[in-house]
Structures are given as C-alpha cells and as structure tokens.
Amino acid sequence: MIKKVSVDCRNISLSYGATAVLKGINLTIEPGEFFALLGPSGSGKSTLLRLIAGFNQQDSGELLVDGMDISQVPPWQRDIGMVFQNYALWPHMTVRDNVAFGLVERKVARAELTQRVQTVLELVGLTAYAKRYPGQLSGGQQQRVALARTIVIEPKVLLLDEPLSNLDKNLRVQMRQELLSLQRRLGITTIFVTHDQEEAMTTADRMAVLHQGVVQQIGTPAELFDTPANLFVAEFVGTMNRLQATVKDILDETLVVSLEGGTQCTFATSAVAPGLFHVLRIGLPVSVCARPHQMSLRSASTEHAMARSSLLTLTGTIISKEFMGQQTRYVVSAGSQPLMIDQVHQVGNATYATGARILIDIPTSNIKILDT
C-alpha cells in the first residue's frame, strides 16, 4: 500500500556559478496530489524536479517529504521514483528484467519480486510483453515499462520529467489519460514537469507556473486560466489577447483606463490582478486582456450604439481566418497588436471575409487588467 505524502519546498534557491536558476521557491504539494510544474525551457522546472529527486542540491532552503527535511539525504535513500524523458531502459534486458531491476538492487526476496513485477505489469497492461526487449516495443509501450519500473519499488513520490514529449500527438493524449488513471488508482503523490500547457491543464489537480526560476502562480488549471496573476501566466496558460491602455482614474470600486485611440473604459477593480492593484497609479501603462473565446464579432453595419457599460465594443478589420471544424479563428486588426477571436461554428452562422470591417464585442466581466 503506497502511503500518500506531502512535498514542501521552503524558500529554495539554487545557482550555477553566477546564474540563479531557482529563486526562493515556495510551494506545497498535498498528499496524493497530481501536481504539474509548467514553464518554458530554462524556467527551472526540471532543475526543481531533479532537486527533489536528489540529483541537485539547493544553496538554501528546505525540502520536506511527509514533514521530514530530506535535503541531506542521498538520492538512493529518498524513496522517490523518477521517470525520465528518454525512459532510460536497459536495451539488453527484457521488459520483465527492466521492471525487476530496482527490486533486484534492493535484494527483495525472489517470491515477492516475482509477485510485485507481475502485479505492476498487469497494472500497465504489459503482461503479454514481459519477454520482449525495449527495441521491440512502441514508444507508448516503452513509456509504460519506464513507469512500471518506477512504481514497482513503491516510492513515496513519483516524478515525471516530460515523459510524453517523445510520443506523437494522438498517443500523448491516450497516454496522459492512462497516466492519470493509474495515478488515481495508486494514490501516489505525483509531480509532473511539462512545457505543454494542454498536458498540464488536462491532468493536474494543481500546477505551478515557473519563469526565470521564480514561481509566478500556483492554483488549479481553471484558476490560472480564469484569473492569471500576471501577463506571463495569462499568455503561457492558454492564449490571451491584450490591448495597450493607460490608467486615467482610480476610484473606490472602479478603474478608468484609456485605450489606444482615446477610447475610455471603466472596469470594476476586481478585474485588476492583485499584484498589480497595489501599484496602480494614474498614467501607469496596463494591458486590457481577454481570451479569444470570450470575444464575439458582428458586422460593422449593425448599430454601434449597442455598446454599454457591461460591453466593450471595438472596430476592426479581419486580417485572416482559419476554419478549425468546431470553431473559426479570426485574426483581427484593432490597434497596435492583432487580436485572435474564436467563433463557435454552427451551420448558418455568419462568417466574415478577409478585409471585412467588423465590430468586436467583449463583455467587461471577461476582461482582466494585467501588467504590460
């Protein structure tokens, strides 16, 4: 029975020479949670994962597993399992021997070893492949072997370092569903590193977005998508449109901004990212942001006066469009930066040609005021 444990990073910092790679990392992963570390290349996510595994050592801070600081514990004594990006399977060993390797090293009795290997092979659906070699397997099957080899030792924490990146798109979707299903059955605390926001959002209970060694935001996928803490998170977790604006007035419960071209808009202060709200001042440049599916188009021949306090209406020109089956994605010129707008496709819906003048409606309740 795998014990569910927590993982706590407390003010962890790590530098390579003069280069700071991790800067004051603070996060808590709950027992049994599927937690994702999301960020671009060089953000520090893999460095943090390897630090938890014991392959890196922090310069300062504490790393706790189940409430105990393991910072000075060597990797082989941490009871943490890791699945690497390239799987790292022994090519000269059968599937069964690859899976059994960790148990052999731990000198587990033969009867127990045989039973545990058999159980895990059944769990990942590879019983029929036990006598094959890695070179005789597909990419998805090799990934399952790597996963089986790790979970057979019954680690307290499972670390996954972009384990799906070597698979094609369709297989990635299938394998992430299988991975999540397996994690739910085992109940093992799992930390998953990826640069793919779709992978993180479809699997993680919660996730942390890292950028330049700093945790930008922690929360559920929905929280990060709907209420990003800053522009980096907004543009990394999904697609975000932004309009340049300047703060004109700050009242008790409303914020007045001036868009490019002079249009003034009023928003509830609740639309402002918390970190930005505390530094707001008149004249400060800000970004007025909304996601593509939160905006709609209508013909420029319709009544522009439809605009009201709950709706921001802009005039624009269609630059391009892509029919994507369930939706049509328009790129629209409406200021210094083009806007991306997704319209649900239904038979009979109006479509707009490239070059057409249109009106863009954005409910103010969908708008977030972020940094520039």
Side-chain angles (χ1 to χ4, degrees), residues 30-241:
E30 301 296 337
E33 188 171 31
F34 197 115
F35 192 93
L37 298 174
L38 177 66
S41 297
S43 62
K45 58 188 187 299
S46 289
T47 299
L48 179 57
L49 195 77
R50 293 177 65 83
L51 187 147
I52 295 170
F55 303 138
N56 293 326
Q57 179 66 46
Q58 68 264 32
D59 300 324
S60 61
E62 298 176 303
L63 173 64
L64 283 71
V65 173
D66 202 22
M68 297 180 60
D69 191 346
I70 64 167
S71 300
Q72 304 305 316
V73 177
W76 56 91
Q77 293 180 0
R78 292 193 176 192
D79 203 9
I80 290 176
M82 186 165 180
V83 177
F84 297 92
Q85 184 175 351
N86 63 358
Y87 311 142
L89 301 177
W90 298 107
H92 63 287
M93 291 184 180
T94 64
V95 167
R96 182 193 179 281
D97 290 341
N98 264 283
V99 174
F101 183 80
L103 298 179
V104 172
E105 290 295 300
R106 288 165 173 77
K107 296 181 170 55
V108 173
R110 180 176 296 276
E112 182 183 351
L113 181 151
T114 300
Q115 179 58 48
R116 285 168 65 173
V117 170
Q118 181 64 26
T119 299
V120 169
L121 287 176
E122 289 175 3
L123 193 62
V124 298
L126 288 176
T127 303
Y129 299 86
K131 295 182 180 180
R132 294 193 186 183
Y133 292 87
Q136 298 173 312
L137 304 177
S138 67
Q141 290 166 341
Q142 290 182 36
Q143 197 259 8
R144 290 182 202 170
V145 176
L147 189 59
R149 183 182 59 184
T150 302
I151 63 177
V152 76
I153 64 172
E154 299 179 353
K156 292 179 180 177
V157 180
L158 176 62
L159 307 180
L160 305 170
D161 189 7
E162 303 214 38
L164 308 181
S165 61
N166 292 330
L167 306 178
D168 63 51
K169 183 177 179 180
N170 290 338
L171 188 54
R172 279 204 309 271
V173 172
Q174 176 189 337
M175 289 306 301
R176 76 185 184 213
Q177 292 170 345
E178 291 185 10
L179 187 60
L180 182 59
S181 175
L182 180 61
Q183 190 271 343
R184 293 293 189 248
R185 278 183 281 164
L186 294 173
I188 188 171
T189 304
T190 300
I191 307 174
F192 177 74
V193 158
T194 181
H195 65 275
D196 187 322
Q197 53 97 1
E198 182 178 311
E199 280 184 4
M201 293 180 70
T202 53
T203 57
D205 297 310
R206 290 188 306 139
M207 58 189 187
V209 176
L210 276 71
H211 180 50
Q212 297 181 343
V214 177
V215 174
Q216 303 294 313
Q217 189 173 359
I218 301 171
T220 66
E223 287 170 346
L224 270 62
F225 187 82
D226 292 338
T227 56
N230 54 44
L231 192 59
F232 178 82
V233 175
E235 294 184 331
F236 198 80
V237 181
T239 301
M240 183 66 88
N241 292 305

Side-chain angles (χ1 to χ4, degrees), residues 241-258:
N241 292 305
R242 59 174 170 145
L243 299 164
Q244 299 296 328
T246 303
V247 176
K248 299 299 289 184
D249 201 2
I250 306 168
L251 305 174
D252 288 341
E253 296 183 358
T254 57
L255 174 73
V256 181
V257 304
S258 177

Side-chain angles (χ1 to χ4, degrees), residues 326-340:
Q326 295 181 343
Q327 64 191 28
T328 300
R329 172 161 289 181
Y330 292 92
V331 178
V332 182
S333 173
S336 59
Q337 292 193 344
L339 304 177
M340 194 174 293

